[in-house]
Amino acid sequence: MDYTAKLDLAIERLHDEGRYRTFIDIARKNGQFPHATWSRPDGTETPVTVWCGNDYLGMGQHPVVLSAMHDALEAVGAGSGGTRNISGTTVYHKALEHELADLHGKEAALLFTSAYIANDATLSTLPKLFPGLIIYSDALNHASMIEGVRRNGGAKRIFRHNDMDHLRELLAADDPDAPKLIAFESIYSMDGDFGPIKEMCDLADEYNALTYIDEVHAVGMYGPRGAGVAERDGLMGRIDIINGTLAKAYGVMGGYIATSAKMADAVRSYAPGFIFTTSLPPAVAAGAAVSVRHLKSDQSLRDAHQAQAKALKLRLKGLGMPIIDHGSHIVPLIVGDPVHTKALSDMLLEDHGIYVQPINFPTVPRGTERLRFTPSPVHGPREMNALVNALDSLWSHCALNRAELAS
């Protein structure tokens, strides 16, 4: 077996399909984000504007977050020193979990190193806690949820995206006495559409199922205190397990679940992804806790964020750009071809200093390849004008189709 040749073939296949991922080396400028510096392969440096980041509100450079992280670093040093059960639980971790439980109105929260790990570890552990558990998972759930459901060894049912009739059919076909859990998202990040939370909860009540919601693209940004879409819609109390991230709107790193005290204790005690993973550095936990606390009261950032997203969508629609608009903050611009998508991304970066990564299969279905823009309160009129003008020019240059309106 020529292992090197096999690797060459695998990588070449991605190149042939236009799906090979290229990492761009950038250094964000503290206090000046979304401006950053791109280190080119030849060693030269170019200023760029980042339009595809998940630091949705710019909290990664907020003074209160940086101050808290500096203070913790000076007080206790860099690392946590171990897993949560071996010296890795600190006052900073406990304070963060308290803030998160309070945010979601739950008895407890459990901190993980990422929301991916939180989803995977929790969903793969639940069948150990509820033997015979059947998990009903939306077809467009995030890869971390899919992986957790796949690995748990229990029964699973995949329902068509946001299709409540299909979900009802699946629930009705199973043993009424079997434990059940419905897993879905509040905002699906590739199209920016919302999950029907109330309808999910109604079906869960009818069929005696638990509910599990992924709010990673909503926490910090929706609801009066930033707890997510479920809070905005007055439905948090009907959700059994809420998954969230600290790496997007909160600008730091980490993931969590918020739930009942008994559920958190059980997952803590049984999930290998929690038990055997070194905990977040205390400085990261300190910064995240302050970020969560700050955004519980800073509605101005949320309002500015939504205003920027609406403005960008309105301007792109006016140019006939085929965007998807479900009313969320995510702005997907459909190109429909992996090679063209990569070429547009390259031209935006090289010629206009605009950084947005191409989104291709398998992240999105073939034929729906796209550029995905994430406007934020720190993208000003100058940055938005530059982006819109560049897209208008390149769309014409590449002879891509325009639409009257896309939704």
Side-chain angles (χ1 to χ4, degrees):
M1 170 66 72
D2 187 340
Y3 294 103
T4 300
K6 291 294 184 183
L7 293 175
D8 288 339
L9 285 173
I11 298 299
E12 183 180 353
R13 185 163 60 248
L14 294 178
H15 279 290
D16 292 343
E17 295 175 2
R19 296 196 294 117
Y20 182 77
R21 298 171 190 262
T22 302
F23 294 162
I24 307 299
D25 297 335
I26 65 167
R28 305 195 332 162
K29 295 183 179 179
N30 182 27
Q32 300 180 46
F33 189 73
H35 299 289
T37 300
W38 169 35
S39 297
R40 293 171 176 263
D42 63 5
T44 60
E45 295 185 342
T46 301
V48 297
T49 302
V50 178
W51 274 97
C52 58
N54 286 335
D55 186 358
Y56 289 130
L57 302 179
M59 291 301 292
Q61 62 181 357
H62 198 288
V64 299
V65 174
L66 301 185
S67 177
M69 295 185 71
H70 279 296
D71 290 347
L73 185 64
E74 291 297 325
V76 300
S80 69
T83 64
R84 287 293 295 276
N85 60 318
I86 304 178
S87 79
T89 295
T90 71
V91 293
Y92 300 100
H93 297 87
K94 297 302 291 184
L96 175 53
E97 288 177 335
H98 174 78
E99 289 288 348
L100 293 169
D102 172 76
L103 174 69
H104 292 289
K106 299 298 184 186
E107 293 176 340
L110 192 63
L111 186 61
F112 293 81
T113 51
S114 73
Y116 187 108
I117 298 299
N119 271 333
D120 185 6
T122 303
L123 288 169
S124 63
T125 296
L126 289 174
K128 301 175 186 175
L129 309 176
F130 307 103
L133 179 70
I134 304 171
I135 296 182
Y136 303 81
S137 180
D138 188 288
L140 293 189
N141 277 343
H142 189 264
S144 58
M145 301 174 76
I146 294 171
E147 185 66 11
V149 172
R150 184 190 67 81
R151 288 198 312 108
N152 68 29
K156 64 178 183 291
R157 312 281 186 261
I158 310 301
F159 59 92
R160 292 185 292 270
H161 178 53
N162 281 351
D163 189 332
M164 295 300 93
D165 290 334
H166 189 212
L167 175 57
R168 176 183 289 277
E169 289 176 15
L170 295 174
L171 286 162
D174 281 320
D175 181 355
D177 294 326
K180 302 174 178 65
L181 178 138
I182 302 172
F184 59 101
E185 299 185 37
S186 63
I187 298 178
Y188 291 84
S189 63
M190 288 300 108
D191 285 350
D193 56 328
F194 293 89
I197 302 175
K198 180 181 182 300
E199 291 79 2
M200 295 280 191
C201 292
D202 289 343
L203 282 175
D205 288 346
E206 184 177 346
Y207 289 92
N208 192 27
L210 296 170
T211 47
Y212 185 106
I213 191 170
D214 180 308
E215 288 256 36
V216 298
H217 289 277
V219 289
M221 298 176 290
Y222 293 83
R225 296 204 309 158
V229 179
E231 183 195 31
R232 182 198 69 179
D233 296 346
L235 297 167
M236 275 201 307
R238 301 184 65 187
I239 304 292
D240 294 294
I241 305 174
I242 298 173
N243 170 276
T245 186
L246 303 163
K248 293 182 170 61
Y250 293 118
V252 194
M253 178 186 176
Y256 64 89
I257 59 169
T259 183
S260 68
K262 287 185 178 180
M263 183 74 77
D265 191 26
V267 173
R268 176 188 72 87
S269 302
Y270 280 85
F274 177 86
I275 296 169
F276 298 106
T277 300
T278 298
S279 63
L280 288 173
V284 171
V290 168
S291 185
V292 172
R293 191 180 311 131
H294 178 85
L295 286 176
K296 288 177 181 178
S297 59
D298 192 345
Q299 185 60 36
S300 63
L301 274 179
R302 283 189 280 278
D303 291 341
H305 182 234
Q306 291 294 322
Q308 287 292 82
K310 289 177 182 176
L312 179 58
K313 287 187 282 190
L314 185 64
R315 294 187 64 177
L316 294 181
K317 284 180 180 179
L319 293 173
M321 297 287 182
I323 70 167
I324 300 174
D325 183 6
H326 289 288
S328 74
H329 60 282
I330 293 169
V331 186
L333 175 60
I334 303 301
V335 181
D337 177 89
V339 176
H340 289 161
T341 306
K342 180 66 167 62
L344 279 170
S345 173
D346 290 344
M347 287 187 286
L348 283 168
L349 185 63
E350 290 275 359
D351 302 333
H352 300 274
I354 291 171
Y355 174 44
V356 56
Q357 280 286 63
I359 307 293
N360 292 329
F361 178 85
T363 307
V364 296
R366 297 181 192 275
T368 71
E369 293 83 2
R370 66 198 64 186
L371 300 174
R372 175 183 172 273
F373 299 97
T374 53
S376 77
V378 293
H379 287 92
R382 180 167 62 91
E383 289 81 10
M384 190 173 295
N385 287 338
L387 172 64
V388 171
N389 291 336
L391 285 172
D392 188 23
S393 172
L394 290 176
W395 216 258
S396 297
H397 174 75
C398 296
L400 296 173
N401 291 330
R402 300 192 188 231
E404 291 298 321
L405 281 180
S407 61

